[in-house]
Amino acid sequence: MSDGGRYYNEHDDRTAPNFRNRKGGGSHKGRAYNRNRRDRQRGNQSGIFSGPGPRSRLEDLDGDVTMGDTSQDSTPQSRFTPYQRPGRKGDGRFDRDRRQGRGGGGRGGFKGDRSGAGGGGGKNRSDWWKVTIPHGRKYDKRWLLTALQNLCSIDFTPVNYHVDNNKVHFFVDDTASANAIHKCSHKITDTEGYKVEVHTNRCAPPSYLLTDLKPEHLEHLKQCMAKRFDASQQALDLNNIRTDPDLVSQNVEVILNRKTNMEAVIKIIEGNIPELAALNLSNNRIHKLDELSELVTKVPLLKTLNLSNNELKSDRELDKLKGLKLVELWLNRNPLCDLFKDQAAYISAVRQRFPRLLKLDGNDLPAPIGFDVETPTAIPASKGSNFGSDEIKALILPFLQQYYNIYDSGDRQPLLDAYHDGASLSLTTPYSNQNPSRSSLGEYHKDSRNLKRIKDTTIRYRLLKHTRLNVVAFLNELPKTQHDIASFTVDVNTFTNTLLSFTVSGVFKEVAVDGKSRDSTMAFSRVFITVPAGNSGLCIVNDQIFIRMATTEEIRRAFVAPAPTPSSSPVPTLTAPQQEMLSAFSQMSGMNLEWSQKCLLDNQWDFNAAAQVFTQLKTEGKIPDVAFMK
């Protein structure tokens, strides 16, 4: 296929490269990505015990190649064949074995049965365009396509919508649609104030629309693979299989960077040689490993894999093969090899995916470090809170009780008294490539100061809340909550005469306007750095909040005991004997009245039975510290 004097390989399913010096095309040459950002001011609120700053958005950038409406000439042209048959080169023992006559010649379990797939026709190749949305992964598919369709001057049908790393791609099959979509670039603003970029490039049809291998072609492929299989080594050599003389003579094209062709090869392997130990896929222009992920389950004994001389551009592709227990891997002469600063970084990245690897690109690696553990071991049970001393415990527990009573009350303004005039606060959520609007953490994601996600130092600074007024104003903007104080654990990090640093972790729910808790339970971990205030109080100088979704176990254990409401009394109306028993039990156990009453109620007001249960639970460390806060 030709375009503007340039030819592309019609069997390559990737998009054609951008023209750099094409006249009128908007050259990219020498143009660096502009990272300057414009600030978007957000209002601060004043707020409080002893707001978020400006955002920014990307500048409007448009580095797309200008598209013309000229259609391709339908005159037949000579076909460019970049796969001309070179002198056969290979890597590792696969090619050595074949040159030494150990090809197997059909041995090794290939069956004579025929398995076929129906052929299908591809669409006109000349009018296909690939639409790319950089950073599109963070957008909901329905929102993105609806926004494009609403702005687009003509209706279009997206074909094969898919995500590739952080980008979103889909195809359209006519030039008019591509031109209309291209004009939408930088005209859609997302919820964070960023402009949505849209790139369009002429391309080959999506791979799944291309003609599948016909049944007779599959039989030729099976016979070819049988000749290339070495049963003595359980090794299959598919190096540069497209130029195999047997396939060429039968006019069979096997292109392994095409989805249907790779799937056919894997199906033949699964049905005939599932015990395969070594596979050579070098020199096949492979740029994605999606189909090869099936090797994990279909060829579980695979130990050696040769992917050299292909077009893998990112080591993230290797994540699709992480389940393989490889001991030898070839990746040399792939673009991804040039991404690492040194050999050590390259080896480390590969070994993260394949910890048992002993040889990389033909070079021996140091033996992997591991532990030979014959019997399964369990992680020790959590020890609960660690205060260091009763003196520190007496400081922290009343502070937390008072702090979270106010925090969950609906009016957080009194928290001003808990913060130092120069206090700072930051909030963080886990790093994720998913669209935050789909997560229950969406309300927190927009203010998250996750340093893995936020690279701009200016934005990092603005996401810090400075001074107690801004800190409490920000806390007032967060959703209303109900914390499960019984779930709290406290770890004291540092304690001196002038500073106390501790971490409190637990679970909470958001509370809707009607006062009901939402279904999602979240977990938090909060680091307070405090200084002494008054005779026995604490004053916060730094507050770091981390919020995530709760685990299944945390959800199961959360809110087992009913949480008291701010207006309820911890001691409801009791008979005189019950009040006397409650007072005596609280004095004997050291628990507050609320937890003492709960223990007595659970044991039908049997003092001796309640005392026995209390002693057992306290010995096992199952009574939370909040039960002893009075």
Side-chain angles (χ1 to χ4, degrees), residues 4-18:
R6 293 285 296 274
Y7 286 87
Y8 313 115
N9 166 23
E10 67 175 345
H11 298 292
D12 194 336
D13 297 332
R14 296 161 298 149
T15 58
N18 291 330

Side-chain angles (χ1 to χ4, degrees), residues 88 98 103 224-230 235 237-239 244:
R88 185 180 293 268
R98 295 191 64 209
C224 174
M225 291 172 62
K227 289 179 59 178
R228 288 169 167 252
F229 177 65
D230 181 358
D237 181 8
L238 300 183
N239 170 57
D244 187 280

Side-chain angles (χ1 to χ4, degrees), residues 8-14 79-87 240-244 248 253-258 261 282-287 309-311:
Y8 313 115
N9 166 23
E10 67 175 345
H11 298 292
D12 194 336
D13 297 332
R14 296 161 298 149
R79 176 173 165 185
F80 176 53
T81 311
Y83 296 101
Q84 59 186 0
R85 189 179 175 190
N240 200 17
I241 191 173
R242 185 181 183 277
T243 62
D244 187 280
V248 173
E253 287 186 326
V254 177
I255 305 169
L256 294 188
N257 66 7
R258 186 178 293 174
N261 288 199
S282 60
N283 291 289
N284 281 296
R285 295 181 177 249
I286 297 171
H287 54 276
N309 268 312
N310 280 296
E311 299 181 8

Side-chain angles (χ1 to χ4, degrees), residues 466-484:
H466 299 278
T467 77
R468 67 171 184 163
L469 292 176
N470 289 327
V471 166
V472 177
F474 172 72
L475 293 177
N476 273 319
E477 293 178 358
L478 296 179
K480 304 306 178 185
T481 57
Q482 175 189 348
H483 286 76
D484 181 11

Side-chain angles (χ1 to χ4, degrees), residues 307-322:
L307 294 171
S308 62
N309 268 312
N310 280 296
E311 299 181 8
L312 300 172
K313 294 182 174 60
S314 170
D315 61 308
R316 287 192 293 268
E317 287 296 315
L318 301 177
D319 291 334
K320 300 165 185 177
L321 306 178
K322 284 176 68 173

Side-chain angles (χ1 to χ4, degrees), residues 173-193:
D173 61 355
D174 65 280
T175 301
S177 295
N179 279 327
I181 294 171
H182 175 74
K183 293 176 182 178
C184 297
S185 184
H186 296 97
K187 293 184 180 179
I188 300 172
T189 303
D190 65 16
T191 56
E192 295 183 347

Side-chain angles (χ1 to χ4, degrees), residues 194-214:
Y194 298 112
K195 298 289 187 179
V196 178
E197 294 184 56
V198 182
H199 303 289
T200 52
N201 293 283
R202 192 183 294 274
C203 67
S207 59
Y208 75 92
L209 294 178
L210 300 176
T211 304
D212 293 338
L213 292 171
K214 298 178 181 179

Side-chain angles (χ1 to χ4, degrees), residues 509-540:
K509 291 182 179 180
E510 291 183 6
V511 178
V513 178
D514 57 5
K516 295 182 179 179
S517 297
R518 297 182 180 176
D519 291 337
S520 57
T521 300
M522 304 179 195
F524 76 95
S525 182
R526 199 162 182 175
V527 180
F528 289 108
I529 300 179
T530 64
V531 294
N535 295 328
S536 59
L538 297 174
C539 182
I540 304 169

